[in-house]
Amino acid sequence: MTPTQAQFLSTPELLEALFLQCDMRSLLTTIQRVCKQWHEIICGTPSIQRHLFLRPAEGEIFLDAVQNPLLSEVFPPFFSAIDGTFTKGLYGREEIERLTLAQHTDAFLRWGATWRKMHVQQPPLRAMGVSRPSDYYAVIYEQPVNMGMLYDHILRLLISPQQLWRIWWKKDFALKDNVGLCDECKHECTRMLLSEVDAVLIRGSSSWESITVRPLDRDFMAKFAYPGRLRSQSIESVLPRFVAGSLSRSDQREL
């Protein structure tokens, strides 16, 4: 190694500029493991943490929200675009079971896994809507939502195998009147929410059964859900604001 190369590789400002040109997967899985200095620069530099969607991009100007590219790759059902040619409609458990991470289930069971801490978009998602058109209600949870919280919410629904779900992102809102969309996507409840928030969780018409995990469902939940979350009666720390419809306080916690 030449003296010039050695000086470059030991200069934090130059390394920061270099790391900002690297993809997220390389930074998280390879580059930060090279040496202690590189790990400290990646973990301690605000610009790199924003690049990794681990720190909010506050004060920056975005024409449109930018989705997390690594999460979009690893969790495609959570970020898949809804378009006029889409025919399946809502998702079930199968989409979780087909995730690439399903081959490495420890990633789901580690509470400190990096993906759980990541923002799903920049600027961060500050509120999320939940719509169940069959019962004509739409609510908004007004609190920051990272990937761990979003994933936990979906898994909690899937305790009941009949539950169906789909996330509609505001970037697809222009398609709201497309005749090719499923009925839940075109419903007034969903459209109202997308006028206020960047993401809406659309729930199918299957009724909520019970938070109790049945024997037939234990294998699925043991593989994909963090154990502590199954004992929690509520993923959210605040009650939602209703945009349409109404529910009792206890039912609100089962959204």
Side-chain angles (χ1 to χ4, degrees):
M1 180 183 299
T2 67
T4 301
Q5 290 173 328
Q7 182 179 6
F8 177 88
L9 294 176
S10 62
T11 305
E13 293 78 11
L14 295 177
L15 287 173
E16 175 184 352
L18 175 63
F19 293 158
L20 287 173
Q21 303 304 313
C22 298
D23 65 273
M24 297 172 63
R25 184 184 291 274
S26 297
L27 285 170
L28 291 169
T29 62
T30 305
I31 297 175
Q32 71 170 342
R33 298 179 180 178
V34 170
C35 65
K36 181 179 180 181
Q37 181 196 23
W38 287 19
H39 176 80
E40 292 175 348
I41 290 174
I42 290 171
C43 294
T45 305
S47 61
I48 298 176
Q49 289 292 289
R50 289 193 292 269
H51 177 62
L52 293 172
F53 285 71
L54 291 169
R55 186 181 179 121
E58 302 290 2
E60 298 185 27
I61 299 176
F62 294 85
L63 295 177
D64 295 295
V66 178
Q67 289 186 339
N68 186 316
L70 182 57
L71 292 180
S72 298
E73 175 188 340
V74 177
F75 295 91
F78 290 77
F79 298 90
S80 59
I82 296 178
D83 56 45
T85 62
F86 184 75
T87 57
K88 180 177 179 180
L90 306 183
Y91 291 153
R93 285 183 177 178
E94 295 80 7
E95 282 69 28
I96 303 296
E97 294 170 330
R98 293 181 188 135
L99 292 174
T100 302
L101 279 185
Q103 303 173 21
H104 310 281
T105 54
D106 61 312
F108 295 104
L109 303 180
R110 283 190 297 109
W111 185 248
T114 300
W115 66 266
R116 296 189 60 89
K117 307 171 188 176
M118 285 183 166
H119 297 294
V120 296
Q121 67 175 36
Q122 293 282 26
L125 191 63
R126 297 300 186 188
M128 186 180 76
V130 178
S131 167
R132 190 158 71 187
S134 61
D135 295 328
Y136 195 80
Y137 73 66
V139 300
I140 293 178
Y141 288 102
E142 296 175 319
Q143 67 179 79
V145 180
N146 60 22
M147 187 61 199
M149 295 173 64
L150 184 58
Y151 178 85
D152 287 343
H153 194 122
I154 300 297
L155 261 289
R156 183 171 176 268
L157 297 181
L158 294 179
I159 289 176
S160 173
Q162 290 77 33
Q163 286 294 321
L164 299 175
W165 63 281
R166 188 71 189 264
I167 298 174
W168 195 2
W169 297 88
K170 195 168 188 174
K171 63 184 178 62
D172 300 323
F173 188 41
L175 299 166
K176 63 183 183 302
D177 298 320
N178 193 304
V179 295
L181 296 176
C182 63
D183 291 341
E184 290 88 352
C185 294
K186 293 187 292 185
H187 198 278
E188 180 183 2
C189 287
T190 306
R191 297 202 308 268
M192 285 190 296
L193 289 174
L194 280 171
S195 66
E196 294 195 42
V197 296
D198 286 343
V200 173
L201 169 60
I202 305 170
R203 291 189 52 182
S205 58
S206 299
S207 60
W208 177 268
E209 294 185 1
S210 173
I211 192 68
T212 303
V213 181
R214 301 173 304 178
L216 291 178
D217 304 326
R218 289 189 181 277
D219 288 344
F220 174 83
M221 301 308 294
K223 185 175 182 180
F224 294 106
Y226 180 74
R229 280 318 205 192
L230 296 183
R231 295 191 294 270
S232 173
Q233 293 297 313
S234 176
I235 297 299
E236 289 70 31
S237 60
V238 297
L239 291 176
R241 171 170 64 86
F242 273 83
V243 176
S246 62
L247 289 174
S248 67
R249 180 176 289 263
S250 60
D251 288 339
Q252 290 176 32
R253 293 193 174 92
E254 295 183 349
L255 292 176

